Structures are given as C-alpha cells and as structure tokens.
Amino acid sequence: MSLPRPPSLRGPERRGLGALVRRSALVRRFVPGETLDDALAAATLQAALGIGTTLTYLGDPPRDPADTAAVAQPYLEALDSIQERGLPCELSVKLSQLGRDARADRCEGVLETICARAARGPTVVWTDMEAPAAVDATLGVFRRVRERHPHLGLCLQAYLRRTTADVESLIPLGVALRIVKGSYRQPRAAAYRGRRAIADHFFRLGARLLASDARAAGVRAVFATHDVGLLGRLRDHARSLGLGRDAFECHMLLGVRRGYQRRLATEGYPVRALVSYGEAWLAWYVRRLAERPANLGVLLRGLLG
Ligand code: FDA
C-alpha cells in the first residue's frame, strides 16, 4: 500500500482551500473542527453512544523544537480539559510533532511532560507510528519513556515484516499495542504487499496479542482498522479462546463505518473513534481520502452542491 504524500500547503493557500473543503458534509463527518472544543464536543456525543474517543492534535511541525513548553502546550491543554470534563478520552501523539527528527532527547522530554500530566487522570497516551525510517527512533523514545509511564501505548504497523519481532519484544512488558495496517510509503523488502498479505499479518499479530501469555503480562490489544472482514476473524478468534468482550477492542476513525461502531458498542465491546483537530487537519484529511478514492466523489458532490 503506497499512498501519495499529503500536500504541504502553507498560509493563505491552505486557508483558502481549507475553507472550501471544510464546507463539505463529508469533511464535517470526519473532522468536527479545528479547535479542541470542537473535538471535545464530538467526544461528548460519542460518549453518549458508549463509544470512547482518541484525540489527535494535528498541528504544524514545531517552528522551534527547542521551545519544549510551546511544543507540549496543546497536549497539556487537551489533557486538562479531558480530565476536568471526565470524558472517556485518550490521546494519540506523533513524535515528529514533538520534535523527534530534530533531537530525540528533547522529544523524549516533551513526551515525559505529557505523560506526567496524563498520569493525573490517568489518561492513556498513544504513540503513533510514522514512516518506516522513523520506526527505530520512535521505538527508542517509546521504550525509555514507557519505563516511567505505564499508561503510554504504541501503534505498530502490520504492513512491516519487522512488526512480528517488535511485538514479541514488547509483549513481556505488558504494553498497550494498537495494530494498524500502516499508511506511509515503505521500502519493498521491508513490507508485505497486497491487501490479503497485510490483513493476514494483522490477524497473526492480533492472535499473538490475544494469547494467554500476552494477556497474563497485561497486554492491551487494540485493532484499529475499518476492515470488518478482518475484525470478524479477530473477534471469532477471541471467542474461540473463551475470552470476554473486553479482549476485542476496536478503534476506527470518526465517521467511518458508524453503524458498525455503534453495534459493537451496544453489544458491549470496547470501541473508540479517532477524532482529529488542529490547524494542520487538511494534509491529514487528504491522506484519509487517498485511502478510499470513493470518498473523493462524495467530497466533490458536497463542494459542488
Ligand atoms: P483498508 O484500507 O483495507 O480498508 C478496509 C475497508 O474500510 C475499505 O474497503 C473501506 O470500505 C473502509 N475504509 C477504509 N478507510 C476508509 C476511509 N477513510 N473512509 C471510509 N471508508 C474507509 N497508520 C499509521 O501508519 N500509523 C498510525 O499511528 C495510525 N493510527 C491509526 C489509528 C486509528 C484509530 C486508525 C483507524 C487508523 C490509523 N492508521 C495509522 C491508519 C491505518 O494504517 C490505515 O491506513 C487506515 O486505517 C486504512 O486502512 P484499514 O485498516 O481501514 O483497511
């Protein structure tokens, strides 16, 4: 799976296009708005349906990564609001936005600050996984910070062959792991090719996380995909092991497969929707569109209508 790069629009160019695209009902369905209040309003509605929320802030990469207080600020603000309102929200962060690519030690400091504030909840903080070239750096920061902050979880990508070994090394630590298919360009040799091969690897990883030793170690297994066939296989597998409904946790994007999300929640399975907000939402949104070209037609109809 190789996706086009998101556009890197800046300033007025981005605001103009952003304003145009934002009018579409499809965008509003996926991105409730740019502000934290918009995201929290969506989380409140989700909570009423029994669906939790993972908030992800989409800001521009830090202008000055050395200003660690400024880099941490949006996340601390989100945590304070989540905790004040008692919302069932978790947070997901991209280490590139915390300045990982400039200096890993500074990024680690910012993540520590975020995790320390999250511990007051406690609120789980997820570490997103980005491009393959950044996997080692992300794992390094994650492992070091996780030693002091047990509420830090990690996303791993099923399209990467190495993820089997990464999962094995993390299971004894009892980590919260969110498995996704993966959405960045990957080097041919490092990745599985084709939907079937990626879904099969996803299933094997999921089955491994549901195994008795992983559960005994305290692993929290999260399956973040809209592939309901794959989710069905994982759910059947959890059932065949005699596991309770809490073992099958599903995360999706806000607005995708809404009926399925609601059904799972009604049946008592843990479900979360990823809610994005922040001024850099457009590049993220274009990536999501690229994942499902059929959405383009709906977007165009919304813009022209
Ligand atoms: P796939 O793309 O095969 O789609 C399965 C079916 O779901 C499709 O046939 C389509 O019908 C439907 N579908 C998929 N996307 C849709 C959309 N946007 N709109 C409508 N229908 C859609 N990636 C990453 O590399 N690092 C990360 O940290 C994360 N984090 C993350 C968190 C959460 C909560 C989710 C849901 C996803 C991510 N991802 C991610 C993205 C992930 O890697 C992947 O690119 C997308 O989830 C799309 O792949 P699917 O697993 O849904 O399968």
Side-chain angles (χ1 to χ4, degrees), residues 17-126:
L17 183 57
L20 182 67
V21 176
R22 204 181 294 112
R23 264 193 257 133
S24 144
L26 184 71
V27 172
R28 288 200 300 273
R29 180 172 141 190
F30 289 124
V31 184
E34 284 183 13
T35 68
L36 175 62
D37 272 346
D38 295 329
L40 293 173
T44 307
L45 291 175
Q46 293 291 107
L49 298 168
I51 299 174
T53 292
T54 304
L55 291 181
T56 187
Y57 170 67
L58 303 167
D60 286 321
R63 273 176 207 281
D64 177 10
D67 185 355
T68 52
V71 174
Q73 185 49 33
Y75 305 95
L76 301 183
E77 202 186 317
L79 286 165
D80 287 347
S81 300
I82 290 169
Q83 292 167 5
E84 272 160 28
R85 299 185 197 195
L87 283 168
C89 286
E90 299 183 340
L91 215 62
S92 210
V93 301
K94 292 189 192 311
L95 296 192
S96 57
Q97 297 213 333
L98 306 189
R100 177 199 57 215
D101 303 335
R103 284 231 339 230
D105 58 336
R106 258 192 222 134
C107 161
E108 212 169 299
V110 178
L111 188 60
E112 287 261 7
T113 305
I114 295 170
C115 287
R117 184 71 61 91
R120 292 184 191 170
T123 305
V124 169
V125 177
W126 292 95

Side-chain angles (χ1 to χ4, degrees), residues 1 3 26 29-30 54 92-94 127-131 154-159 178-184 195 198-199 202 222-230 250-257 272-275 284-285 287-292 294-295:
M1 185 165 44
L3 297 172
L26 184 71
R29 180 172 141 190
F30 289 124
T54 304
S92 210
V93 301
K94 292 189 192 311
T127 313
D128 282 358
M129 192 54 81
E130 300 175 75
L154 178 70
C155 178
L156 289 174
Q157 298 152 324
Y159 64 16
R178 177 178 79 207
I179 307 295
V180 299
K181 287 188 182 173
S183 55
Y184 295 80
R195 284 190 64 172
I198 296 168
F202 194 126
V222 166
F223 311 119
T225 177
H226 314 102
D227 184 337
V228 292
L230 172 59
C250 169
H251 291 192
M252 291 191 177
L253 302 179
L254 180 78
V256 179
R257 298 213 185 276
R272 264 176 200 281
L274 186 80
V275 172
W284 175 89
Y285 181 73
R287 283 188 80 89
R288 300 282 80 83
L289 276 181
E291 281 165 10
R292 189 166 183 258
N295 283 343

Side-chain angles (χ1 to χ4, degrees), residues 210 215 221 223 230-236 238 244-250 260 264 269-271:
L210 294 175
R215 289 183 59 77
F223 311 119
L230 172 59
L231 288 169
R233 285 170 72 194
L234 286 162
R235 184 161 57 158
D236 290 348
R245 296 194 170 196
D246 66 307
F248 175 74
E249 179 169 350
C250 169
Y260 184 86
L264 279 185
Y269 291 99
V271 188

